[in-house]
Amino acid sequence: MGIRDVSLARRAARVLPLLAALSACACGAAPTAPADEIHGTLEPFAREAVYFVVTDRFVNGDPGNDHRDQGGEHRTFDIPLPPCDGVSGNIGYLGGDFRGLADNLDYIQDMGFSAVWITPVVDNPDQAFTGGEPPGCGSILTDRGKTGYHGYWGVNFFKVDEHLPSPGMEFPDLAGELHRRGMRLVLDIVGNHGSPAWTMPVAQPQFGQVFDRDGRLVADHQNLPPAQLDPAGNPLHAFYNATGPVADGQGSIYDGNLAQLGDFDASNPAVLEYLVEAYGHWIDQGADAFRIDTIAWMPTSFWQRFSERIREKRPGFFMFGEAFDYDAANIAIHTRPGHGEVSVLDFPMKQAMEEVFGRKNAGFERLEPALFLEDGPYANVYELATFYDNHDMPRMDASDEGFIDAHNWLFTARGIPVVYYGSEVGFMRGRAEHAGNRSYFGQERIDAAKDSVIHQQLRRIARLRRETPALQRGIQVNLLLEGETAAFYRVFQHEGVAQTALVLLNKGDAPRTVTVDALVQPGDWRDAFDGSRVEIGQRIELQVPAHGVRVLLRDAPVEAPALRELLLRRMEARAHGAGAETTPG
């Protein structure tokens, strides 16, 4: 699984050989093992790189499932908004489906991605919402006139939304297409809420309702404000909290409802049972991992129970949550024993990447505080899902070179890289939710992507990571993070694999020579891109192209005394201080 306790016996079995190696070094003897155990994580999912799509916005592979006449006067297909700076957002369905995704898996895999994260697939309401506030340029959580094209307004968590499947391309078929290519399917799940539940002028069918596997109604908000619900007296209200939105100054926003969404009561055992059974169904259908939406809106004790139940069904099942918070201490709690023991999206790193590679053009040193390579709050920082933007925020506002530099960092530094659809060509850069962030991508853009310099360079670095164990799960040691240049090692030594990657980055407009005098591993290295031999002596002094990356590989255990000692100290500290270990694999 991702992040969890292991038995004392297992921990001892891994730590004692490490201590023995340290003891041997102290008395001048060579280690008896072929290579010391050195790694950032042994979590299998950390090998992956993830391409994230809002399924409805990717490619319309089957117009037959568009349901263009759905919703009547509250239609659901193609609902454009007034333009924001010349670009119109859209809050209706636009036709993207499983077929469109399956037809382009070769495109995604060719870029170097090995996993696809899709938005929720559960059934959503069949009309546009009439409550809430109207959306506008820059607004969030304003849902009037919107549809459930994004999938986050579940009404039946066992049933696939009718806009997604096609004959011969149901959810299991999509999963099978990924698995046939050796790829993995990450399913977005929601545990905090269902669909919008009140403020409608007249109650609409499905909104604020929840149905079970057999289509029976198990919860109904009945278009009532939360304070008017009667969970004790009305069984249909028992799924929901009776607390409404919490105003500023009266508590945390996480204490109340998110917008007008029906807020599930985490203290009700029936809620946990429903969600565990429903999401277990999608595991049976082929889901390989979960991304957990709005994880911070429910208590960590709920997620601990949920993750334990899911892993009873599928040991080792990887999950990462969305806690939209730039304070690492706040989001790290979800990675800890008793609080969920899942990974999280790395929002502090997202904030730093946006400043370094976006229009602010901050120096590489801005990334260092977000790395938490030592003494950080996370159970394992190497298992975080790293990203620079997504569907809930403006896309990164960067030049082509900024995207190239961001990808060179994202696919070589610690963490599991996640890239939002279209970023491989700089699609809708800088655009917020209602101003183009979730615009339709389409087959024509995919077919033309190979001509984009962003795509070309992303493909180069992502495919390298896919072939390089050290870049996937190796421990990171920074040598230089300053201004427009960066240098660091990634070291992976485990079960007969010994590989060190030396990564050199330059985000400047001119070639630069990167010089490093400390922690140098001398010897024969090879260029990871062209295979040429590179000899390193007592210092590193190598030129890196403008907006470029160089990766040198050494397929042997680390021998340089100072570097080896540092790595072993890091491993010992993590073994004693992390409080959690990861599953070997």
Side-chain angles (χ1 to χ4, degrees):
M1 71 180 72
I3 305 168
R4 63 184 176 91
D5 276 343
V6 295
S7 67
L8 290 175
R10 177 187 286 180
R11 187 172 297 160
R14 295 185 60 183
V15 172
L16 288 176
L18 183 62
L19 296 178
L22 284 168
S23 176
C25 292
C27 63
T32 56
D36 304 295
E37 281 283 306
I38 298 171
H39 42 74
T41 178
L42 296 178
E43 164 58 51
F45 195 85
R47 299 186 181 104
E48 315 299 338
V50 183
Y51 189 74
F52 169 38
V53 300
V54 176
T55 310
D56 178 76
R57 298 318 206 214
F58 192 55
V59 172
N60 188 350
D62 179 12
N65 62 16
D66 288 354
H67 299 281
R68 297 187 179 218
D69 58 350
Q70 186 183 69
E73 63 177 320
H74 307 302
R75 77 177 197 276
T76 62
F77 192 85
D78 192 14
I79 308 171
L81 294 172
C84 299
D85 297 325
V87 177
S88 178
N90 200 297
I91 52 177
Y93 287 87
L94 292 178
D97 49 32
F98 294 158
R99 175 65 67 188
L101 183 56
D103 287 347
N104 287 284
L105 290 178
D106 287 345
Y107 164 78
I108 295 170
Q109 188 173 37
D110 179 73
M111 276 191 289
F113 294 98
S114 55
V116 179
W117 157 16
I118 61 174
T119 40
V121 299
V122 301
D123 195 28
N124 274 233
D126 297 339
Q127 295 183 350
F129 182 53
T130 60
E133 298 294 326
C137 301
S139 69
I140 58 173
L141 304 179
T142 50
D143 292 336
R144 185 181 301 172
K146 283 187 181 179
T147 64
Y149 71 87
H150 43 66
Y152 294 97
W153 292 356
V155 295
N156 188 328
F157 289 64
F158 294 88
K159 181 181 177 183
V160 69
D161 191 88
E162 66 276 7
H163 296 86
L164 299 175
S166 304
M169 189 48 65
E170 299 284 342
F171 183 85
D173 301 306
L174 175 63
E177 285 295 313
L178 281 147
H179 297 160
R180 184 171 63 82
R181 291 168 170 80
M183 301 175 73
R184 305 181 77 175
L185 178 58
V186 181
L187 179 63
D188 211 322
I189 68 168
V190 184
N192 162 250
H193 62 263
S195 61
W198 82 98
T199 68
M200 293 168 279
V202 177
Q204 297 176 259
Q206 298 179 298
F207 284 97
Q209 297 180 326
V210 178
F211 299 86
D212 69 9
R213 183 192 295 269
D214 299 317
R216 291 187 296 256
L217 183 67
V218 296
D220 192 346
H221 220 282
Q222 298 179 329
N223 201 23
L224 295 171
Q228 294 181 24
L229 294 175
D230 181 17
N234 187 336
L236 290 178
H237 294 178
F239 246 57
Y240 297 113
N241 283 314
T243 303
V246 175
D248 291 343
Q250 297 182 3
S252 168
I253 60 171
Y254 302 117
D255 295 332
N257 286 65
L258 180 64
Q260 291 82 36
L261 300 172
D263 192 64
F264 293 159
D265 182 2
S267 67
N268 183 349
V271 171
L272 177 66
E273 291 301 319
Y274 179 89
L275 294 173
V276 166
E277 185 180 355
Y279 291 130
H281 164 76
W282 298 109
I283 293 175
D284 290 338
Q285 298 288 305
D288 299 299
F290 288 157
R291 179 266 191 183
I292 304 172
D293 183 70
T294 53
I295 194 172
W297 291 83
M298 298 187 86
T300 59
S301 57
F302 174 88
W303 293 117
Q304 182 67 32
R305 295 194 299 273
F306 179 85
S307 66
E308 289 172 351
R309 292 284 301 279
I310 291 296
R311 287 166 179 158
E312 286 174 5
K313 178 181 182 65
R314 188 66 57 86
F317 197 80
F318 188 77
M319 294 175 268
F320 60 99
E322 175 227 14
F324 200 136
D325 194 318
Y326 295 118
D327 187 328
N330 292 341
I331 68 176
I333 186 64
H334 301 285
T335 72
R336 290 293 180 180
H339 299 278
E341 298 180 81
V342 298
S343 183
V344 290
L345 283 155
D346 191 352
F347 277 85
M349 180 59 73
K350 177 266 170 194
Q351 186 180 50
M353 287 188 67
E354 184 177 36
E355 293 179 15
V356 172
F357 304 114
R359 302 299 180 184
K360 288 186 178 180
N361 198 30
F364 270 108
E365 63 274 9
R366 171 65 182 88
L367 299 169
E368 197 281 331
L371 281 168
F372 293 103
L373 299 179
E374 297 182 81
D375 303 320
Y378 303 99
N380 193 318
V381 74
Y382 292 88
E383 296 168 13
L384 301 184
T386 49
F387 70 111
Y388 52 76
D389 66 16
N390 64 24
H391 60 315
D392 286 329
M393 60 188 66
R395 286 179 179 261
M396 186 169 70
D397 188 10
S399 64
D400 286 3
E401 293 78 14
F403 277 97
I404 292 169
D405 295 332
H407 294 147
N408 286 340
W409 169 263
L410 190 67
F411 284 83
T412 56
R414 65 102 181 112
I416 303 168
V418 179
V419 174
Y420 189 36
Y421 79 97
S423 294
E424 66 268 26
V425 296
F427 181 57
M428 291 292 165
R429 68 189 81 193
R431 290 285 175 172
E433 178 182 342
H434 299 130
N437 170 288
R438 303 181 185 181
S439 288
Y440 181 74
F441 197 47
Q443 194 64 50
E444 289 186 7
R445 289 190 178 91
I446 289 174
D447 294 342
K450 64 181 182 300
D451 298 325
S452 165
V453 66
I454 302 174
H455 177 276
Q456 293 162 9
Q457 296 303 311
L458 168 60
R459 182 177 182 272
R460 180 173 183 258
I461 193 63
R463 288 165 67 99
L464 177 63
R465 184 188 187 273
R466 188 172 64 190
E467 300 162 0
T468 309
L471 296 181
Q472 298 167 1
R473 300 192 291 172
I475 198 167
Q476 180 167 337
V477 175
N478 291 335
L479 303 172
L480 173 70
L481 293 177
E482 183 178 344
E484 295 180 334
T485 55
F488 53 89
Y489 291 119
R490 298 292 304 277
V491 183
F492 185 78
Q493 296 179 183
H494 175 65
E495 293 187 346
V497 177
Q499 185 180 75
T500 298
L502 170 61
V503 179
L504 307 173
L505 301 171
N506 172 18
K507 72 185 192 79
D509 293 331
R512 287 178 178 265
T513 298
V514 177
T515 303
V516 178
D517 294 308
L519 299 176
V520 176
Q521 170 62 66
D524 287 334
W525 295 69
R526 61 183 170 89
D527 188 290
F529 293 110
D530 65 21
S532 62
R533 178 176 174 273
V534 179
E535 178 71 22
I536 292 181
Q538 298 306 308
R539 71 184 328 210
I540 299 167
E541 191 169 5
L542 296 166
Q543 190 174 76
V544 185
H547 300 288
V549 54
R550 292 194 68 180
V551 178
L552 304 185
L553 297 178
R554 185 172 181 270
D555 296 311
V558 170
E559 298 163 347
L563 177 58
R564 181 172 175 274
E565 181 181 357
L566 173 62
L567 290 164
L568 292 175
R569 282 204 312 267
R570 290 264 193 98
M571 289 297 295
E572 182 182 15
R574 288 174 55 220
H576 283 90
E581 288 288 346
T582 56
T583 302

